[in-house]
Amino acid sequence: MGKETSRRIQTSILNAGEKKLLIWLARRQPRWMTSDTLTYLGVFGSLLFVVGGVLSNQCVEWLWLSSFGLFIHWYGDSLDGTLARVRNTQRPVYGFFIDHTLDAITTFFIFLGAGLSPVLRMDVSLLGLAGYLCLAIYTYVCTILKGEFRLTYAAFGPTEFRLLLILINTVFIYAPWAKLRFDVGGGIILGTFDFVGLGVALILFLIFLVQFLRDKRELGTQDPLKPFDGEK
């Protein structure tokens, strides 16, 4: 358990179409392209997202660079494992280690880039990061205990999350109302998408709580409380 051999659970709305696209792309990769190269390409994409977020404070159209960085991140992060499976070059231990260790870094970069941009306050972005990491940690715990690696929760996964960020960037560039600021009291000023960010963070924590309560009941049945019979 805790390896690429764990049962993968994917229930997102785009999963079927995305899987076909990734297999199509994997079969057309040049021979020099490797899974490791794609993984590092995904890290580079997340760094582009940060750079675009910082530069967008000077000119909002730099958010296009952020969105392009997300596309590069999707390409590398989603295709690396597919390429290994298509070529039958899987490395279950090393692949799981390098892929998901670097996922922690790229996830941090993405939330950092959002917080450094004019789209989201940094504290709102970091709250979203906390919710995302709670689900990530929960996923790895269940991979060990249940042999299940859950890539998505309900109909939402990493690809849908990236598309949501790209949509937010695009709306922020073109919609005047997206740049409005609201005084909510106590000297706290929230932008339009800060409310969206707070909503997303709340949803992440709620998913975490619901999944925890469901699995707690299931695992409690599998591993019931043993009666204490007094002195040994």
Side-chain angles (χ1 to χ4, degrees), residues 228-232:
F228 178 65
D229 57 0
E231 296 291 337
K232 291 185 178 181

Side-chain angles (χ1 to χ4, degrees), residues 8-79:
R8 298 160 68 87
I9 299 177
Q10 294 175 294
T11 57
S12 67
I13 55 177
L14 298 176
N15 176 56
E18 182 184 22
K19 185 175 182 179
K20 292 178 182 178
L21 174 60
L22 290 173
I23 293 174
W24 185 87
L25 288 171
R27 288 172 175 165
R28 286 158 179 80
Q29 295 301 299
R31 291 181 61 86
W32 56 263
M33 183 64 77
T34 67
S35 294
D36 275 6
T37 304
L38 287 167
T39 300
Y40 294 128
L41 183 65
V43 176
F44 174 71
S46 68
L47 285 171
L48 278 184
F49 184 82
V50 176
V51 173
V54 172
L55 293 177
S56 65
N57 289 283
Q58 305 300 319
C59 176
V60 73
E61 292 190 358
W62 279 106
L63 287 174
W64 285 118
L65 179 62
S66 285
S67 295
F68 179 66
L70 285 175
F71 171 76
I72 297 297
H73 179 253
W74 168 81
Y75 190 90
D77 184 57
S78 300
L79 193 55

Side-chain angles (χ1 to χ4, degrees), residues 65-141:
L65 179 62
S66 285
S67 295
F68 179 66
L70 285 175
F71 171 76
I72 297 297
H73 179 253
W74 168 81
Y75 190 90
D77 184 57
S78 300
L79 193 55
D80 54 3
T82 303
L83 182 66
R85 287 186 286 274
V86 166
R87 292 180 176 177
N88 196 27
T89 57
Q90 300 99 315
R91 302 169 69 184
V93 175
Y94 174 83
F96 190 92
F97 168 75
I98 196 71
D99 188 18
H100 300 298
T101 300
L102 291 179
D103 275 349
I105 296 173
T106 58
T107 299
F108 168 72
F109 283 152
I110 289 172
F111 280 93
L112 176 66
L116 290 173
S117 77
V119 179
L120 282 181
R121 287 170 53 115
M122 180 60 78
D123 50 0
V124 172
S125 187
L126 292 180
L127 183 64
L129 174 61
Y132 194 98
L133 291 180
C134 279
L135 278 179
I137 293 169
Y138 190 82
T139 295
Y140 300 136
V141 170

